[in-house]
Amino acid sequence: MTTPLSKEQRDLLSKRLTDRREALRAEVQAQLSNSEDPRVAGFADELAAAEDWVLADIIADTDIAMVTRDIQELAEVDAALARVADGSYGTCSHCGEPIGWSRLNAQPTAQRCIACQEAFEASRGKPRPPSL
C-alpha cells in the first residue's frame, strides 16, 4: 500500500506546479507575440488582458504546435493545482488510494495511481509508458 504524501511533499509539489504554470503562461505569451499572423497578435493581447487560456483553441488552425502542447500542459497543471486546493491532490481519481511520491515527483500532474493509469491506458488502446 502506498503512503499518503506528507505536508512537505505536498507543499513541494504545489510549488513546482505553480512555478510550471507561470513558466507555461510566459512561454505561450512569448510564442504568440512572436507570430506574424495578425489574428495571433490580437489574440495574444486578449490573453494578456483576460488571462482566459482556454480561448487558445481559437488559433489552433495556425502553425503553433508548441503553443497547443503548452496549453494542454497548462490545463493539466491547473487541474492539479485545483486538486491541491480542494484537498484531493495525491489521491487516485479512480480507486481513491494515495498516489505514490515517486510517481508524483516524476509527474506532478498525475491524477491516477500507476495501476489505475495502466488500466486506463489499456482500455483506450494506448501503449503503456514505463512504470515508475
Side-chain angles (χ1 to χ4, degrees):
M1 176 174 205
T2 305
T3 59
L5 296 175
S6 69
K7 180 180 179 345
E8 292 79 19
Q9 289 171 328
R10 185 179 310 273
D11 290 347
L12 174 66
L13 291 169
S14 178
K15 170 111 174 67
R16 283 180 48 201
L17 286 164
T18 300
D19 291 347
R20 184 64 183 148
R21 178 178 56 192
E22 296 311 311
L24 284 166
R25 286 181 172 182
E27 286 175 31
V28 168
Q29 283 187 317
Q31 290 165 354
L32 292 177
S33 67
N34 291 332
S35 176
E36 294 179 16
D37 186 328
R39 296 175 299 159
V40 174
F43 185 69
D45 293 340
E46 187 176 329
L47 276 176
E51 289 193 19
D52 190 357
W53 298 93
V54 177
L55 291 177
D57 289 340
I58 295 170
I59 56 173
D61 62 328
T62 62
D63 186 19
I64 55 166
M66 288 175 52
V67 172
T68 302
R69 182 200 67 217
D70 287 347
I71 289 170
Q72 176 60 41
E73 185 181 351
L74 183 58
E76 293 170 5
V77 168
D78 283 340
L81 286 168
R83 292 191 301 276
V84 169
D86 73 16
S88 65
Y89 184 77
T91 302
C92 179
S93 64
H94 182 74
C95 70
E97 291 294 319
I99 300 172
W101 162 252
S102 60
R103 174 155 171 72
L104 287 169
N105 190 38
Q107 174 108 24
T109 59
Q111 56 184 316
R112 293 178 198 86
C113 66
I114 291 173
C116 290
Q117 183 65 34
E118 288 176 348
F120 175 78
E121 290 175 6
S123 72
R124 297 213 182 274
K126 294 182 180 177
R128 291 185 203 159
S131 295
L132 300 177

